[in-house]
Every structure is written in C-alpha cells, then in structure tokens.
Amino acid sequence: MIRVDIDAGATQLVLVTDDDGLLHQAGFGSGVVGEPLAFPPILYPVAYPTYGQEVNREHALRITHADGATTTRLRAVDATEEPVDGGVLHRIELVDRAAPVTVTLCLRTWPAYDLLEQWVEIDAEQPVTVHRAMAAGLAFGGQAPHLTHWGGGWAGEWTETTEPLTSGTKTVASSGAVRPSLMRPAVFLYAPDGPATETEGPVLAATLLWGGDVRVDAEVALHGLSRLLIGHQDVGSEVVVDHFESPHAAFVWSDHGIGPTSRALHRFAREQVLRDGTGIRATVVNTWEAVGFNLDQASLMAQVDRAAELGTELFLLDDGWFGTSYPRNDDTQGLGDWAVDRSKLPDGLGPLIDHTLDRGLRFGLWVEPEMVNPRSELYEAHPDWVVHEPGRQRREERSQLALDLCIPEAREFTVDVITKVLADHPGISYLKWDANRDLTEAGTAAIERARATWDVMAEVARRHPDVGLMACASGGGRSDLGTLRYFHELWTSDNTDPVDRVRIQWGASHLLPASALGAHVTRWGQRPVAFGCAVAMSGRFGFDLDLTALDSDEWATCLQAVEDYHQIRDVVQQGDLYRLVSPVGSSHGAWAYLLGDRAIVFAFALDDTEMPPGPIELPFEVLDLTDRTPGRAGEVRPSIDGRTLLWPTAPSPSALV
Ligand code: DGJ
C-alpha cells in the first residue's frame, strides 16, 4: 500500500492505495495527517477520478489515447517527496492500466500559509488528446454542502452568491480566455456543513492560479458524497500533446470559519505572489474619471499641481494620450499606435513627466499593449496578427481586436511597445496594463493563449523590474493569483460608486489583500466625497476625479484623508483582515485590519432603510480610539467594554474609520 500524508498546516490530505493500486482520499482537512485509517482504503473516495473509472460521477480527467480508447484507469506506482522552498513537493505517479500514459499528481505544501497547491502532469509515449485535466478533485462528506462564488462582470465584480448544493453538479466557469475573473470568480468557498461564518464552521477556500478560463464542478452524489473539482475550463481547450501540465489550484482549509482562509491567502499573495508584495503602495491620482480622452498639457499640469498639494505620490495618465493617424479621441480608434498624440501634447509627454517629477510625484502611464483597433496603423500593417478564425466573421468588443500572442512577431511587438514607451520616457516608473476585451475566438489554443499572455507579462516584468505594474482588464478581470505574480496591484473594478464598492471590496477581500486593491475616490454615484474617501482608504487609496473642481469642503476632506491614510496605510495594506459585518444583502458593512497593536476599523452605513445590526463587535480590545473619518475628525469612544463600537450616525451613506 502506498500512503502519502500531505501536511500544509491547517490544510492536510491523506492519500492511500487499495489492493488494486487505485488511489483514494483517506482524509482531508485539519488533523488528518498521521492518523490511522478507520476503514480499508477501498471504502474511501477515489482521489483523482478519471473518465471510465466511476459510474454516475463527474470525472477530473478525460483523455483519448493514441489507440482511440476513451477511458483511463489509473493505478499508483510511486510516490516521492522533496523539500522545496518553505514546503514539500509530493509527486504521486499514476499509470494507465493499458496505455503508456503517466499522470502525476503534484502537491506542493506551503505550511506557513496553510496552503496546498495542486496540479497534474500528463506524459504519454505517443500524443494523446487531453479533453479535461482538472488540477484537483477533493471529496467531502458533510450534511449541507454550500458553495459561495463570486462573479458579476463589468462593474459588478465580486458579486457574491452562496447557495446550497443539491443532488447533481453545479458548474461555475468562465469563457473569456484571458480575463478569467471578470465574469467568473477567482475564489470559491465550499462549506460541507452549511454556510460557514467568519469565525465558525469548516470551510475550504479554493482558487485557480490561472490567467485563463476556470471551471469548478461542485458535485453532490448519492449518500452525501460530494466532490469539488477545480481546473481550467475544458470546453474548447482540447489539446493533442505528449506532455501536459495543468494550471495549478490552491486550497486553504479552516475549521474556524472563513476569516482564517482569507488571512492565509492574503499573506500568501503578499509574500509569494505580488511583486514587492510586502512593500507600501503609493497613493495615486488617475486621470480617467477626471478627464477621459479629453487631454491637454495645461489642464493635466493643473491636475498634477493639485495632486502634489494633496500629498499624493503618483500621477497616472490613463487612456487617450496616443494615436497619430488615428488619434485616440474615443475608444473606436488608435489602439496599437503607441506614439504620443501631438495634437493633444505638442511637445510629447516629456514636459508633463518633468512637471510631475518636479512636483515630487512619480509618473505612471496607461497602456493596453495586447489590443488593437481596426482603425489603427498597426492593424493596417498587420491585419493577420489578430485572433480570428479565417472565413468567419470577427467579433469586436469595445471596437477592438486582440493581438494573437501565439504569433511570435505579435508577441515581440507587445513586449516592445512597453520597452519603447519606457525607453523614450525614462521618467515613467509605473504602468497600468489594461485589457478591454475577451477572446471570443480563442479556439482550442485557449490554454496556449493564456500562457502566451503570461509569457509577455513575465518578459515585461523581467525587463523592467523597477517599474510598478497595475493589472486592469475592464476593471478586475485579472484578479487571479497566477497572473498577479507579474503585477504589483490591480484595478478592482470600474464601478467606483462607493456604496457598490463596499460590497465589491468585501468580495475581493476573500482572495486579495487590501494593498492590491486599487480604490479611488470618483464622482460615481454622486456620493459625499468624505464617504468615497473612507471606502477608498480601506484599499490602496487614490483619486480619479477632477481635482481642480473640488469645492473647499471637499478639498479639506481629501487633504485630511491623504494625511490620515499615510498614517494608517501600513495597517490597511499589511495588516490581518477581520471581516465583521457583511454588506451583502444588507445596508451595513464593517471590517478591520490589525497589525501589531494597531487596528483600523471601517464601518459603513449604506442607506437608511435598515436599523444598524447592533453594535460592531471587534475581535480585539480597544484601548485608545481615534475617529479618522474624513470630514468628521473627532473622537469616538468604544462602547460597553472596549470590544464594541457604535455605527456612524450621520445620514447614509456614511462611514466610521
Ligand atoms: C477600462 C479601465 O478599467 C478604466 O479604468 C480605464 O483605464 C479605461 N479602460 C480606459 O479606456
């Protein structure tokens, strides 16, 4: 019998073979490692179910073999383990009983984060068709399985759904090929015994570290047997290969509710994923919501002056600065022609960059390097570089097409766009990398396209290690912990109505630390600026509104917010998150960050329709409390015993920070 005990801290897995060599999952969760088996191995669920192995169950793997056979029956022949940086890599070799095909289950532990990373590798003597190769399939018992997932698309990112799982299979999947989290979630919570709370109940957080499409099948079969299969979207992704490595999944288990899974994922993201993830992020002023495509040097310089007076640290020039024959005056043209539009900026970007640096801010620039408008010089020169299917009508989204990064010249062009922009303007130290369409004709090369996109990102990161990079894909379309290893932070959502943002940032916090979540004060929703500041201060703070048009009260509010944020941002960006009151389906939300002996509590009243849900219970004792709510400086006192706070009392929406 082969027995493998996999110990990733709170997340543990025990795998055993039966007499016939079939691999079973004998335990999953906390405290299962090293425990004696209660039953013979054959009575435990199959660890990695294949097409043809089990009846009436979903499969994790389906291959058509070189001889045309469609079923795969695996037996374990070997298990090895080796120490890797901060953990152990287990490799369990399974071979097909008939065909010369090896499937290796790879399990990499990260005990410092209670995190288990899992993927499969397939090796065949002759090419096989891989239809489906999920990264993992975990079996569960439990009485009332529930799945929480997030989706919502543009401006609705991180819309939360929690649902009971009933007999059958619930599938949550994406199909945009290179922006997996715009339409579908980047993290899933599976709770076997009814929905977990923040502090109670067993729960599994599962995510795919993958910039392509994702698929999760949550299956409830007979006799309460459930399984969560997670991997890349297999529909349309068949490949014929002799070697295949699946995208990697990551799991965090908790017996004590959802909170610990998020804190572990945040630490993992900061320390192992995000570039300079433990660094403090700059406070940004962006131009998109302030001026859109309507750029000219004098008014941009005026924005820079105001940004400097506010005490912000990075000025970001968004879309609209480029295009020669096809000036970028709206989104219908110019993408691909990365030369400065001299009709807007007659002397180029140089004077604006110099002005920004002189005022003590860094300068950042928007690019969308993998995209092209048909109305562009680039497209006229290289119509064959775009993703398309010959003889079929091409689909445009936002009047644009995507460059086919599987074409080496297109890939090189994309990397060179950035290299050239940076070489021409050495004062630029930050880029916002946008991607405003899905791939609708990705075809069976969907996986290669996702990998080619990563190759481009990796090369950019390699060539420009000192340039900060924000991931944006019509907002939060690239929020996965695979893609983010090439970036410092992301644009959480174009929806910056602070009322909606409370729910969006709440959702995003299940996966991402606040340091990564770009959150800007804008005019969306026409809310009080003080409320917008409070919401944005709970993430990576910034502004995206016309700073020259703020009235004096608003100005004072923003000034105070920047000053306060710079005193608290280490706690927000690097602290441990405690979600306190869910704003999902309610009109109140609250969360806190804790770093050492300092904590920041954010409490939001979103409308006046409901009474506050009692005082806010804190997971720590408050000894000394200051109200940093922008526009409402003063002192609030913890009520009762120093572990509860009262909600903001101003008319909604309002905040207490
Ligand atoms: C979509 C992004 O999400 C926005 O922030 C902005 O950069 C626009 N694209 C610019 O076209």
Side-chain angles (χ1 to χ4, degrees):
M1 181 179 85
I2 294 175
R3 173 173 170 147
V4 186
D5 286 70
I6 298 158
D7 185 353
T11 310
Q12 301 181 344
L13 178 63
V14 178
L15 301 171
V16 290
T17 52
D18 63 23
D19 293 345
D20 199 28
L22 183 61
L23 193 68
H24 297 261
Q25 177 187 314
F28 181 75
S30 294
V32 297
V33 158
E35 289 297 307
L37 298 187
F39 307 104
I42 198 163
L43 294 182
Y44 290 98
V46 173
Y48 191 69
T50 54
Y51 181 75
Q53 178 69 55
E54 293 182 310
V55 287
N56 294 321
R57 298 296 306 262
E58 291 292 337
H59 54 275
L61 180 81
R62 183 162 80 90
I63 291 173
T64 297
H65 294 277
D67 63 359
T70 59
T71 57
T72 302
R73 307 275 300 270
L74 297 171
R75 89 192 144 79
V77 292
D78 197 15
T80 61
E81 62 176 74
E82 59 175 293
V84 285
D85 193 17
V88 175
L89 173 63
H90 298 266
R91 295 176 62 87
I92 304 166
E93 216 177 280
L94 316 172
V95 294
D96 185 57
R97 288 164 200 267
V101 171
T102 303
V103 177
T104 307
L105 301 190
C106 307
L107 299 116
R108 197 260 199 241
T109 65
W110 296 91
Y113 313 102
D114 295 324
L115 187 140
L116 178 62
E117 185 178 340
Q118 186 171 349
W119 67 100
V120 296
E121 293 173 7
I122 300 168
D123 291 281
E125 271 178 22
Q126 289 170 283
V128 295
T129 306
V130 178
H131 303 274
R132 175 184 289 191
M134 298 299 241
L138 289 169
F140 296 91
Q143 295 310 307
H146 276 67
L147 185 70
T148 301
H149 50 98
W150 287 266
W154 181 79
E157 291 94 333
W158 296 98
T159 301
E160 183 174 313
T161 305
T162 295
E163 54 189 319
L165 296 171
T166 52
S167 180
T169 301
K170 166 80 188 183
T171 297
V172 184
S174 65
S175 63
V178 287
R179 312 190 310 165
S181 19
L182 195 64
M183 294 308 292
R184 290 289 178 239
V187 66
F188 308 82
L189 293 176
Y190 182 89
D193 287 325
T197 69
E198 282 298 319
T199 51
E200 282 172 16
V203 63
L204 174 75
T207 188
L208 201 66
L209 316 176
W210 179 229
D213 286 321
V214 176
R215 179 186 178 102
V216 165
D217 292 311
E219 182 199 31
V220 177
L222 290 175
H223 315 303
L225 285 175
S226 311
R227 192 180 263 136
L228 192 77
L229 296 162
I230 180 166
H232 68 282
Q233 165 66 287
D234 58 333
V235 176
S237 301
E238 297 83 1
V239 281
V240 181
V241 284
D242 58 12
H243 176 77
F244 182 83
E245 179 177 329
S246 76
H248 296 203
F251 301 109
V252 180
W253 177 262
S254 159
D255 279 327
H256 306 288
I258 303 164
T261 68
S262 300
R263 290 189 283 279
L265 285 164
H266 294 176
R267 284 201 314 278
F268 180 69
R270 283 194 298 254
E271 292 171 18
Q272 302 296 339
V273 179
L274 291 159
R275 291 174 61 194
D276 186 27
T278 54
I280 291 296
R281 301 300 189 235
T283 300
V284 175
V285 164
N286 189 29
T287 59
W288 177 244
E289 297 287 336
V291 294
F293 294 105
N294 215 353
L295 312 179
D296 70 80
Q297 185 168 296
S299 49
L300 288 173
M301 284 184 176
Q303 297 289 339
V304 170
D305 291 343
R306 295 300 262 169
E309 287 166 37
L310 265 190
T312 62
E313 297 155 324
L314 196 152
F315 184 78
L316 171 59
L317 177 58
D318 208 285
D319 201 349
W321 58 269
F322 53 89
T324 41
S325 314
Y326 297 98
R328 181 78 170 164
N329 295 327
D330 56 35
D331 61 18
T332 63
Q333 61 179 35
L335 266 189
D337 301 344
W338 300 103
V340 180
D341 178 356
R342 300 267 167 172
S343 66
K344 291 177 185 165
L345 300 159
D347 301 315
L349 288 172
L352 180 64
I353 296 176
D354 290 346
H355 185 78
T356 307
L357 301 184
D358 282 352
R359 291 285 183 278
L361 282 86
R362 293 166 57 199
F363 189 89
L365 193 66
W366 179 96
V367 285
E368 194 176 0
E370 60 195 289
M371 300 288 170
V372 58
N373 285 126
R375 287 173 58 76
S376 67
E377 291 176 14
L378 175 65
Y379 184 76
E380 284 170 357
H382 300 288
D384 50 328
W385 277 8
V386 300
V387 176
H388 70 292
E389 290 196 312
R392 307 279 157 162
Q393 194 183 3
R394 258 179 0 208
R395 183 168 149 168
E396 290 177 18
E397 273 179 26
R398 208 196 190 205
S399 307
Q400 67 194 57
L401 300 165
L403 294 180
D404 185 347
L405 299 183
C406 292
I407 300 175
E409 294 79 11
R411 196 158 60 224
E412 232 166 83
F413 170 86
T414 308
V415 175
D416 288 347
V417 162
I418 290 180
T419 300
K420 181 160 185 335
V421 162
L422 293 173
D424 290 350
H425 307 99
I428 297 177
S429 61
Y430 180 94
L431 293 172
K432 174 179 177 182
W433 178 325
D434 207 345
N436 285 298
R437 67 159 296 161
D438 300 303
L439 299 189
T440 39
E441 292 106 11
T444 55
I447 297 181
E448 284 100 287
R449 293 195 198 291
R451 291 210 165 108
T453 309
W454 272 6
D455 287 348
V456 169
M457 292 168 174
E459 182 59 14
V460 168
R462 192 189 67 76
R463 284 195 199 173
H464 311 291
D466 299 327
V467 174
L469 215 51
M470 175 201 263
C472 176
S474 301
R478 287 179 166 164
S479 305
D480 59 281
L481 292 185
T483 304
L484 286 174
R485 89 186 85 156
Y486 307 116
F487 292 86
H488 295 76
E489 57 191 32
L490 72 133
W491 183 228
T492 314
S493 171
D494 275 354
N495 185 341
T496 44
D497 175 339
V499 168
D500 294 344
R501 265 303 185 111
V502 167
R503 298 191 178 102
I504 290 172
Q505 289 168 208
W506 171 276
S509 78
H510 288 80
L511 181 70
L512 299 167
S515 57
L517 297 173
H520 294 176
V521 185
T522 73
R523 294 286 182 190
W524 271 52
Q526 300 299 319
R527 314 288 182 184
V529 165
F531 180 69
C533 284
V535 176
M537 285 165 74
S538 73
R540 198 284 284 129
F541 189 39
F543 296 88
D544 212 325
L545 79 179
D546 183 355
L547 297 178
T548 63
L550 294 169
D551 68 27
S552 57
D553 283 353
E554 291 172 338
W555 178 258
T557 296
C558 293
L559 205 58
Q560 189 200 320
V562 174
E563 194 188 314
D564 284 346
Y565 186 70
H566 290 174
Q567 285 177 32
I568 64 171
R569 68 175 152 184
D570 56 332
V571 182
V572 172
Q573 296 183 8
Q574 299 294 325
D576 274 338
L577 170 74
Y578 291 85
R579 282 180 299 262
L580 306 174
V581 177
S582 173
V584 178
S586 99
S587 55
H588 290 81
W591 57 85
Y593 299 99
L594 180 66
L595 185 68
D597 61 358
R598 293 160 65 219
I600 311 293
V601 183
F602 291 86
F604 304 106
L606 304 178
D607 64 41
D608 294 318
T609 58
E610 281 173 30
M611 294 289 289
I616 305 158
E617 285 183 35
L618 303 176
F620 38 75
E621 194 177 356
V622 180
L623 301 176
D624 181 18
L625 194 140
T626 311
D627 181 2
R628 292 187 182 277
T629 310
R632 219 194 72 173
E635 287 231 320
V636 285
R637 294 257 149 240
S639 65
I640 315 176
D641 59 357
R643 294 189 80 100
T644 59
L645 270 186
L646 298 179
W647 290 93
T649 47
S652 301
S654 56
L656 179 72
V657 182

